[in-house]
Amino acid sequence: MSCKTYDEIIEAYFERGLDSSERSRLEAHLDACSECRLDFALYDRVFSYLESLEEVEPPADFTSSVMKRIRALELTGRQQCVRPEPWWKGVAWRAATAVAVVVLVLSAIFLGGRGDVELLPVESPVAMVEYDLGSSNEAPVPPAVRNGAIGVVVSGSGVEVLSNGGTQWRLVERRDVLGFGDRIRTNGCEARLLYPDRTWIKLKPHTMVQLLVDGLRLKAGATWVRVVKRGRHFAVHTPNAVASVKGTIFSVEFVPEDERTRVEVFESSVLVESLGRDGLSRGAVLVGEGHGVDVDWSGPGMLQVLDASAYIAWNMVPPAELIRHDAAETAESTAPVSLEAAPVSSGVSAPAETSREEDEGTSEPADEEVTVDYGNIHVGDR
Amino acid sequence: MENEDYRIIKLCLRGKKEEFAKLVDKYHRKVYNLAYRLVGDPEKAKDIAQEAFIKVYKALASYDPRYKFSSWLLKTVSNLCIDYHRTKPASTASLEAVLASGGEASLLGGRRRSVAYEHVEERLELKELQSYIEEGIKLLRPEYRMVLVLRHIENLSYKEIAEMMNLPIGTIKARLFRARRMLKEYLKSRLGDLE
């Protein structure tokens, strides 16, 4: 055995100790080898020194200095996802009310028309929470999705859930199992819902949704939906609209302050059904690719051509002709208000889009029915 | 307790930002000590330690409870220290380079002496010995210094260090071994000088 090997054995002697046979072998070698004896003595000094190192005392005002800087941060509003206040406190029209009241009011208003889906069986777990581990172009697929449940992937630990029939919002945790009827609100974070058929939905910050058997109920905020599966009905409901679709990419935003739903279609087409306060249809409109529509209690508005900002708001690359159009006529664009330009439902300005993913513009052929139910619309592809 | 940490984080996320002071209080010694040992300057260590807490606070919502909060925090400190070393022009050759290029020969102006292995015991008691080890540690590259600090001052296990540095346990063991061997070789070369 070379002396170099003994370096490792001597090291091990100090690091973890040796068993008796290793030890006697080392001792025998040290008796015979003066160089290793010196090494042994030097290692002894190195280890003694390292083990004698003691903690140094941090400055006495350390914690208070850090907290002072944190308070200053709050004032400059540099925080992203940690919200200084619950998002609903920023809703101007309900500024002074407590969360329970807001939730009740939202339920009363937004579910009034379609109360039939409010109480859903929860026996079958439909969703499982995972944390976002990356920023790849593809939606991450949590294990739950493989088991046929909906995966909920959140961008941070500020997303909350209200169980169906429950009254207390709580922060979602990894491996949380959600059921139909449960509500999710994103607060300052973002979340994605991943369906077994690879349909997936992005929820912007300050969005609240309820999981439905056939889709989603959007209570406030904005969602982007990419539907890929065939032969299945999927809908996004708002209080006054239901958007039902098959194989397409679209977004739905509901603005509680002005009780307006906006549907924008980026690929294929979406059937948007307008609902009155009585829950009965006020007419439907087929919204084609590159178009958007506003829906209020009175019915769907005129179809509008989307501008580039509508795509950019969801991290999509706008069609080339829109970019050219925008560059040439920025000042006098006749395009309708984009998602981002619309008032943010919660009254809190949504943090800048942080998701780095690119949305693939190549969804599979549309021959499957999905609906999205929002309060005043039923968005469906029929 | 880590669960306690997560509970505090959740409170912070609900808007109770003052709760964060508990986490600062709990970990500031560890954080400051790591920074101090890695940068060797109390003022800079304070800046880095505070910056680490602020960074973590700003990213609190992205905290993944599968990992220890303390690991995340110490990892942030070590990254900040590495950044600091990157921006600072190297004033001295690393110990690795010194030893590779002939040990004391380059350190001691070209004289290369051999150590007389007999009768070294009394020299090993020399006070200088301690300052030589300190010198050697300062010459170590940050990644070596970091494992020494985490192992010997923070008393972390290999596994904890590996998790924190996001490296395999084998790499951590190898770095610790190399770091201590370099210190030993450095001492040896200094003793040669005393001859």
Side-chain angles (χ1 to χ4, degrees):
Chain A
M1 200 179 272
S2 73
C3 283
K4 206 165 180 164
T5 315
Y6 277 101
D7 236 12
E8 284 171 38
I9 295 172
I10 296 169
E11 233 267 344
Y13 170 86
F14 289 105
E15 173 65 19
R16 58 173 170 83
L18 298 175
D19 64 33
S20 57
S21 72
E22 287 172 317
R23 205 185 161 111
S24 42
R25 209 163 57 221
L26 175 64
E27 281 167 1
H29 179 77
L30 291 182
D31 280 345
C33 175
S34 61
E35 181 160 6
C36 284
R37 215 160 41 241
L38 176 66
D39 279 352
F40 185 88
L42 292 173
Y43 267 122
D44 182 42
R45 298 306 183 278
V46 168
F47 272 89
S48 306
Y49 175 81
L50 290 172
E51 271 144 32
S52 71
L53 284 175
E54 279 178 6
E55 283 198 337
V56 287
E57 205 54 42
D61 64 344
F62 189 93
T63 303
S64 61
S65 310
V66 172
M67 293 310 292
K68 209 182 278 174
R69 285 181 62 184
I70 283 174
R71 280 175 218 120
L73 265 187
E74 296 282 335
L75 292 176
T76 54
R78 282 168 59 201
Q79 261 188 303
Q80 290 288 312
C81 207
V82 179
R83 69 210 143 95
E85 287 201 308
W87 64 275
W88 43 264
K89 278 201 179 165
V91 179
W93 59 290
R94 302 256 173 232
T97 56
V99 66
V101 176
V102 172
V103 170
L104 283 177
V105 169
L106 291 173
S107 305
I109 293 175
F110 304 153
L111 298 172
R114 296 179 69 85
D116 52 316
V117 286
E118 168 66 330
L119 292 172
L120 295 159
V122 286
E123 65 271 17
S124 52
V126 293
M128 212 168 187
V129 175
E130 284 284 341
Y131 284 87
D132 190 357
L133 298 176
S135 54
S136 69
N137 289 346
E138 278 294 322
V141 182
V145 170
R146 291 196 289 272
N147 301 333
I150 305 166
V152 180
V153 181
V154 299
S155 70
S157 46
V159 176
E160 289 175 302
V161 63
L162 175 66
S163 299
N164 189 28
T167 53
Q168 286 277 314
W169 285 92
R170 62 180 172 79
L171 286 168
V172 296
E173 299 197 30
R174 191 169 167 266
R175 303 229 164 268
D176 255 353
V177 173
L178 310 184
F180 290 123
D182 288 0
R183 285 167 219 190
I184 297 165
R185 67 179 180 201
T186 53
N187 299 310
C189 300
E190 293 190 356
R192 273 173 273 176
L193 306 180
L194 311 160
Y195 289 72
D197 60 10
R198 293 179 57 230
T199 285
W200 61 292
I201 299 178
K202 287 194 223 176
L203 307 178
K204 280 211 167 179
H206 311 294
T207 292
M208 174 159 57
V209 296
Q210 182 178 30
L211 298 174
L212 303 181
V213 175
D214 68 342
L216 267 194
R217 180 177 298 279
L218 177 70
K219 308 250 179 192
T223 63
W224 175 98
V225 184
R226 180 180 174 196
V227 178
V228 292
K229 189 156 176 187
R230 305 141 193 225
R232 176 171 160 247
H233 183 79
F234 188 92
V236 177
H237 304 250
T238 75
N240 51 10
V242 182
S244 44
V245 294
K246 58 184 182 186
T248 184
I249 299 177
F250 67 106
S251 71
V252 184
E253 179 181 35
F254 180 68
V255 184
E257 289 93 326
D258 54 18
E259 300 187 326
R260 181 180 66 87
T261 297
R262 179 165 180 84
V263 178
E264 296 184 334
V265 179
F266 305 106
E267 194 173 280
S268 192
S269 58
V270 172
L271 186 77
V272 178
E273 185 185 1
S274 167
L275 303 172
R277 290 183 192 275
D278 54 6
L280 299 177
S281 177
R282 291 288 182 276
V285 58
L286 187 68
V287 184
E289 193 171 306
H291 289 78
V293 68
D294 284 315
V295 179
D296 59 20
W297 295 111
S298 63
M302 297 290 287
L303 285 182
Q304 299 159 340
V305 177
L306 299 179
D307 65 359
S309 65
Y311 292 82
I312 294 164
W314 291 103
N315 283 348
M316 285 181 283
V317 178
E321 65 272 18
L322 280 188
I323 299 172
R324 282 200 297 276
H325 176 268
D326 275 16
E329 303 180 48
T330 335
E332 41 172 334
S333 173
T334 51
V337 183
S338 76
L339 268 181
E340 280 301 81
V344 176
S345 55
S346 62
V348 177
S349 61
E353 185 77 56
T354 51
S355 164
R356 268 174 285 161
E357 65 200 327
E358 289 293 326
D359 298 306
E360 332 76 307
T362 54
S363 93
E364 286 158 31
D367 52 0
E368 185 164 299
E369 187 156 301
V370 177
T371 50
V372 185
D373 232 348
Y374 293 67
N376 55 354
I377 55 160
H378 184 87
V379 184
D381 181 304
R382 293 180 182 163
Chain B
M1 291 290 92
E2 292 301 325
N3 286 346
E4 174 61 13
D5 291 354
Y6 188 39
R7 193 187 64 79
I8 294 173
I9 289 167
K10 287 193 279 191
L11 286 174
C12 294
L13 289 169
R14 290 197 186 104
K16 294 188 174 173
K17 59 180 183 286
E18 292 301 321
E19 291 288 313
F20 194 69
K22 290 182 185 165
L23 292 172
V24 181
D25 245 357
K26 182 171 171 183
Y27 291 114
H28 77 294
R29 291 184 73 89
K30 259 189 185 350
V31 165
Y32 177 78
N33 268 274
L34 179 60
Y36 175 73
R37 296 293 175 185
L38 292 180
V39 299
D41 171 68
E43 210 40 46
K44 193 65 216 166
K46 183 182 150 197
D47 289 349
I48 287 179
Q50 293 200 349
E51 191 55 39
F53 277 109
I54 304 288
K55 257 191 124 142
V56 161
Y57 177 78
K58 284 203 243 172
L60 215 49
S62 65
Y63 170 64
D64 184 339
R66 281 176 294 178
Y67 303 101
K68 278 187 175 183
F69 175 73
S70 56
S71 302
W72 183 33
L73 191 55
L74 293 178
K75 170 97 178 154
T76 306
V77 179
S78 68
N79 287 343
L80 287 170
C81 292
I82 288 171
D83 289 347
Y84 168 73
H85 282 290
R86 272 196 199 121
T87 57
K88 202 181 62 148
S91 53
T92 49
S94 74
L95 184 53
E96 208 175 10
V98 167
L99 293 171
S101 64
E104 71 279 22
S106 54
L107 274 173
L108 308 171
R111 291 170 296 142
R112 180 166 188 121
R113 300 187 183 192
S114 62
V115 182
Y117 299 120
E118 286 76 31
H119 317 298
V120 291
E121 274 69 21
E122 65 272 23
R123 283 210 297 281
L124 292 182
E125 303 309 323
L126 288 173
K127 269 199 197 136
E128 284 93 328
L129 211 54
Q130 183 162 325
S131 59
Y132 294 155
I133 301 177
E134 281 164 9
E135 258 175 39
I137 291 176
K138 280 187 190 150
L139 288 168
L140 283 174
R141 289 217 310 261
E143 61 265 37
Y144 289 110
R145 219 179 311 161
M146 197 175 303
V147 288
L148 283 183
V149 171
L150 294 174
R151 178 79 180 146
H152 292 284
I153 302 178
E154 303 299 341
N155 292 316
L156 298 183
S157 68
Y158 292 141
K159 188 165 174 277
E160 285 170 319
I161 300 171
E163 275 170 10
M164 210 195 97
M165 297 182 71
N166 202 18
L167 288 169
I169 288 182
T171 308
I172 302 300
K173 284 186 180 173
R175 278 193 190 172
L176 268 172
F177 172 72
R178 295 196 65 194
R180 291 183 296 224
R181 189 171 61 186
M182 282 191 268
L183 289 179
K184 183 261 297 179
E185 290 298 325
Y186 182 69
L187 271 187
K188 204 189 242 182
S189 71
R190 296 301 257 160
L191 282 175
D193 184 45
L194 289 175
E195 184 84 334

